[in-house]
Structure formats: C-alpha cells, structure tokens
Amino acid sequence: MSGEEVAVAQPEAVAVIGEPLDINAALPLVVRKSQAHGGLARGLHEAAKAIEKHNAHLCVIADDCDQPDYVKLVKALCADHNVKVLRAPSSKTLGEWAGLCKIDSEGKARKVVGCSCVVVKDYGEQHEAVEVVQQHKD
C-alpha cells in the first residue's frame, strides 16, 4: 500500500442496490461520505498537513493536473507515509465529489470548482464502498 496509483474512470451509472460495487462507483461514494462527515482534506496544503500528521487513509489525485511538481510532491508524501493513491478522471469531477459546487433545484451540480487533490482522513461510517476501495489493487 505504499504509494500505489490507480486510474479511476468517471462513473456514468448509479450503483443499483443489490449489485456489487466496482471501484468506479465506490470512489465517489467514499469521497462524498467522507466530506459529509468532515473527514476530507481538499487541496495541496490541507492534503500535505493530513498526510504528514498520519491522519490520511486515502489520497485521490485528478488525472488532468497540469503541474508535475504538484503530482510528484503528493505521490512522494503518500509513498513515505504508506497512503494509497487513486486517480480521478478530472479536477472538475473531483471537485464535484468533494462538494466544491452549488446544487441547483434539479439536483445538478453548477459552478463546479476544480480540485486536484483530496485526502480522506475519516471514512465516516463503514459501508460497502469503503471496503471496495480498501481492497482495490492495481
């Protein structure tokens, strides 16, 4: 688990009850639950602090992050502190998962702010999606 990196595609379909979750459907659920319980660090500064304090369980980096030094720093911190690294398809998608958006009356995300990195410090409640993410290998 030292610094593994996995690319995760954006889920288009919502998971059906009774159907086993895959990593593409489980990762957004884990990030959203963590954000709802106050266990999410968003951005480089918060992520680095959480990783350095050994509070991090999981790190998610956006694939379209255009600063190689940013990605290299986060991966190195995760490798040093044995934090699993997963990839999100884009910074806008990761920002939406992390709650950096406004939700309109139809339930659609509007004014989404991009986020290149989030760290899960607290999963909140234990559920199937957490187990899928924890057991996911390269």
Side-chain angles (χ1 to χ4, degrees):
M1 293 214 8
S2 72
E4 300 118 36
E5 178 185 332
V6 181
V8 178
Q10 180 178 1
E12 293 299 325
V14 178
V16 178
I17 296 175
E19 186 176 308
L21 286 173
D22 64 338
I23 189 67
N24 297 332
L27 186 59
L29 292 175
V30 168
V31 173
R32 286 184 178 131
K33 285 272 191 185
S34 176
Q35 190 267 336
H37 288 275
L40 195 66
R42 301 174 288 202
L44 179 63
H45 185 71
E46 287 183 27
K49 286 194 318 187
I51 294 169
E52 285 289 324
K53 289 182 179 179
H54 298 283
N55 290 339
H57 297 292
L58 171 71
C59 180
V60 184
I61 301 175
D63 275 337
D64 63 352
C65 182
D66 57 352
Q67 296 185 1
D69 291 340
Y70 185 105
V71 176
K72 190 185 298 184
L73 172 66
V74 173
K75 287 181 183 176
L77 282 171
C78 290
D80 286 346
H81 293 78
N82 297 325
V83 176
K84 188 173 188 174
V85 178
L86 296 178
R87 304 289 293 210
S90 70
S91 62
K92 294 288 186 183
T93 304
L94 188 55
E96 183 180 341
W97 293 350
L100 297 173
C101 62
K102 299 283 185 185
I103 306 296
D104 65 6
S105 60
E106 299 163 358
K108 304 280 185 196
R110 303 281 184 227
K111 296 184 181 181
V112 178
V113 177
C115 184
S116 294
C117 176
V118 298
V119 169
V120 175
K121 300 184 290 186
D122 178 21
Y123 289 117
E125 56 199 36
Q126 193 70 14
H127 48 88
E128 183 184 359
V130 172
E131 295 170 13
V132 169
V133 169
Q134 287 175 339
Q135 294 177 1
H136 183 71
K137 302 279 191 258
D138 295 333

